[in-house]
Amino acid sequence: MTGTAAPYALVIGIECHVELATSSKMFCGCAARWFGAAPNTLVCPVCLGLPGALPVPNRRAIELAMTAGLALHCEVPAHTKFDRKNYLYPDLPKGYQISQYDLPLNTAGWLEIAGDDGRPKRIRITRAHLEEDTGSLHHDGRGTLVDFNRSGVPLLEIVSEPDISSAREALRYLESLREILIFAGVAEFRLEEGGARFDVNVSIRFDEGGETRWPPQSEIKNLNSFRALEEAVAYESARLWDEWHAGGDIRTRRTKVTVGWSPERGRTFPQRQKEEVDDYRYFPEPDLVPLSPAPADVERLRAALPEMPVEQRARFVRDHGLSEYDARVLVSDRALASFFEDAVRAAGGEPKQVANWVTGELLRYLKEGNGAVSAAKVTPAHIGELVRIVKDGTISNTAAKEAFAEMWVSGKAPRDVVESKGLAQVSDEVQIRAAVDAVVAENDQAIATYRAGKPQVLGALVGKVMKRMGGKANPAVVTSVLRERIG
Ligand code: ZN
Ligand code: MN
């Protein structure tokens, strides 16, 4: 429905709510990791909204929100404050949400994605403000139950400009945002646990009778997976187009509509009419003082920012000579990327060889064991040593894989494994010459063929020498001794 043949342009902006990775809630000391906890066990008078309870801001949450803003190239305002956003809903016990209105913590940022034309495209970020999450409602056959464990969990709301032109770009934007926030240590972005949710503003623009039409947008609320976003955008944009052509009220309406998404039915459905900003009666939160971020704090947070994935990938390609593919695999996991760099240091270079071990054997074993790289018994120092002893001819590549299998289980250093398993490669010419002599004596026919101008039989002869030496001979030395002997 939204292929290149679509008769309209898509204009998309995204509001992304992300839970910050703090241990406690935004304005009280209750645990913030609510997912999976028994209902209403992580609550106190503050997050239950009891009268007289006063909020105390979570310093860590503010720092994480600022770190996110810095990673997203936002400007840090001189002054910022919290405001009350007033509305009535059963999951909001105070009757208002503490949020930020006209002085958000972060403004005017951007992130870069690959646009649909394959070129880099900047998606501008209007603002990223700090607020508190609501409780959650659970509907069952008897009625609706409310759980306040999530109430007061710190949320960062990141609002993009309408710079996104397709569902694919929307996904790339969110994937990039996710990667940045995880790398910066700001959020875990666990979609399957409700740790991030998206409101997507979709509109269509097209020419009709020589005039540009740009009817009011739809806001699709509360999408909780990338798949839902992709399907909902496709559905809703086509629906807007159809409604326009059916002469629906989209032709006269001035304001946007708010819709939900039903994954079961594969369609959107109208929701409560969206409040206008005036309806929320925002006013400055009287229980909290305004903040003025100190330049020294901002610089401390900026200095602590790790290298972002997009920069790290570029550096791996440029400085280590890796393929885009290998760079992508390594950078997909921050721990894996630093494992790789530590191993390169331990190997004294050889980044391509190190990358082969990390993206090959190490990842394969990690996947099979379902383990994290940080818990692996094989260390970057081990990989570095393995690469060095393959390079200097101590062991063959095949033997190195055997050594790796043992290292994986025992956590022993490569040299110890080579010794205990007798994996060392024989490069001693005296031993190799003896084996070559024996093979030559037994293979008159093959040698005659070789001398008759069929060099391809050499491989088979090398194989026989290797077999005779229990697979431990250095194949390069065997080849050259053999050539010399029969050539
Ligand atoms: Zn609490
Ligand atoms: Mn919000």
Side-chain angles (χ1 to χ4, degrees):
M1 278 186 285
T2 54
T4 45
Y8 48 80
L10 265 176
V11 182
I12 299 171
I14 298 180
E15 295 165 24
C16 178
H17 286 90
V18 192
E19 287 181 353
L20 295 175
T22 56
S23 50
S24 59
K25 291 187 180 179
M26 187 63 229
F27 299 114
C28 62
C30 294
R33 289 299 292 260
W34 58 274
F35 188 83
N40 297 308
T41 53
L42 310 176
V43 293
C44 74
V46 174
C47 55
L48 284 173
L50 300 187
L54 289 172
V56 177
N58 181 333
R59 182 187 177 93
R60 181 90 186 119
I62 294 171
E63 288 187 344
L64 290 180
M66 289 172 70
T67 297
L70 294 170
L72 295 169
H73 313 97
C74 288
E75 288 168 18
V76 183
H79 306 287
T80 176
K81 67 177 167 69
F82 290 104
D83 299 277
R84 285 190 184 180
K85 179 179 181 180
N86 299 282
Y87 66 95
L88 189 65
Y89 209 65
D91 62 11
L92 188 70
K94 297 196 297 292
Y96 61 86
Q97 178 191 34
I98 304 180
S99 180
Q100 298 196 284
Y101 180 45
D102 53 342
L103 290 175
L105 202 47
N106 302 288
T107 57
W110 55 269
L111 65 75
E112 196 172 275
I113 62 164
D116 281 342
D117 60 4
R119 306 235 302 266
K121 177 173 179 180
R122 266 189 194 190
I123 309 297
R124 290 170 298 157
I125 288 164
T126 318
R127 56 187 284 159
H129 67 256
L130 193 50
E131 59 187 31
E132 55 178 339
D133 209 344
T134 62
S136 47
L137 299 177
H138 302 268
H139 310 280
D140 70 6
R142 295 162 297 165
T144 298
L145 300 165
V146 61
D147 175 8
F148 289 112
N149 284 347
R150 201 180 69 182
S151 172
V153 168
L155 277 187
L156 188 67
E157 179 175 339
I158 302 147
V159 182
S160 87
E161 293 286 323
D163 290 345
I164 299 162
S165 314
S166 70
R168 291 177 303 276
E169 285 190 357
L171 292 184
R172 286 198 287 270
Y173 167 78
L174 288 172
E175 274 158 10
S176 172
L177 188 61
R178 173 176 185 277
E179 197 176 60
I180 290 169
L181 297 181
I182 291 175
F183 253 69
V186 163
E188 295 179 358
F189 219 101
R190 291 181 199 269
L191 286 168
E192 67 285 3
E193 296 183 2
R197 284 152 265 153
F198 325 118
D199 300 335
V200 181
N201 286 291
V202 179
S203 57
I204 57 172
R205 192 169 51 190
F206 51 94
D207 287 331
E208 187 184 63
E211 281 193 68
T212 299
R213 306 284 186 201
W214 195 357
Q217 74 218 49
S218 290
E219 180 174 1
I220 314 170
K221 297 292 280 186
N222 234 353
L223 295 167
N224 56 14
S225 74
F226 289 172
R227 175 154 182 212
L229 178 137
E230 197 171 13
E231 293 175 352
V233 166
Y235 178 88
E236 187 63 10
S237 52
R239 194 194 66 74
L240 290 172
W241 174 253
D242 292 344
E243 188 188 340
W244 180 271
H245 288 283
D249 93 309
I250 190 174
R251 285 181 173 260
T252 49
R253 184 158 39 77
R254 289 291 172 109
T255 52
K256 68 177 173 184
V257 288
T258 302
V259 299
W261 170 249
S262 164
E264 295 80 25
R265 290 182 297 153
R267 54 177 301 166
T268 58
F269 55 90
Q271 284 194 330
R272 69 188 152 92
Q273 200 50 46
K274 172 87 178 171
E275 290 83 356
E276 291 302 305
V277 126
D278 288 349
D279 297 330
Y280 288 123
R281 291 289 184 268
Y282 278 101
F283 65 87
E285 169 58 59
D287 291 336
L288 295 167
V289 293
L291 305 169
S292 303
D297 284 337
V298 175
E299 288 323 305
R300 178 176 53 82
L301 294 173
R302 197 191 302 278
L305 266 186
E307 182 179 37
M308 285 298 129
V310 65
E311 296 154 4
Q312 193 170 45
R313 275 195 294 270
R315 187 168 59 78
F316 280 12
V317 170
R318 188 185 64 231
D319 296 355
H320 291 319
L322 301 188
S323 66
E324 288 279 351
Y325 178 80
D326 280 349
R328 189 161 285 280
V329 171
L330 291 169
V331 175
S332 67
D333 177 346
R334 191 170 159 182
L336 197 65
S338 50
F339 186 105
F340 163 74
E341 293 216 278
D342 291 345
V344 170
R345 268 189 290 278
E350 305 296 328
K352 281 189 182 167
Q353 296 308 320
V354 172
N356 285 344
W357 281 103
V358 175
T359 62
E361 298 298 287
L362 181 69
L363 268 193
R364 191 159 65 77
Y365 279 78
L366 282 173
K367 271 188 195 130
E368 279 169 11
N370 232 336
V373 64
S374 55
K377 287 184 183 166
V378 173
T379 65
H382 289 157
I383 296 291
E385 188 180 333
L386 205 54
V387 166
R388 275 189 278 119
I389 62 179
V390 170
K391 195 188 176 203
D392 72 14
T394 305
I395 56 171
S396 69
N397 213 39
T398 315
K401 286 194 176 159
E402 203 181 323
F404 186 96
E406 170 65 22
M407 288 155 60
W408 179 261
V409 175
S410 68
K412 281 194 207 154
R415 280 186 197 283
D416 297 340
V417 174
V418 167
E419 193 161 321
S420 66
K421 298 196 76 160
L423 293 171
Q425 186 163 254
V426 178
S427 298
D428 173 25
E429 288 202 18
V430 175
Q431 285 185 56
I432 290 175
R433 245 173 243 289
V436 165
D437 284 345
V439 167
V440 166
E442 289 164 6
N443 291 278
D444 293 349
Q445 188 56 49
I447 289 158
T449 311
Y450 177 81
R451 286 178 174 150
K454 291 222 158 57
Q456 56 271 33
V457 299
L458 191 69
L461 291 169
V462 169
K464 286 184 198 292
V465 176
M466 294 295 288
K467 196 172 171 199
R468 202 172 176 91
M469 296 189 65
K472 287 180 195 158
N474 181 331
V477 178
V478 170
T479 306
S480 83
V481 168
L482 195 58
R483 266 216 189 95
E484 204 181 293
R485 177 80 169 67
I486 66 178

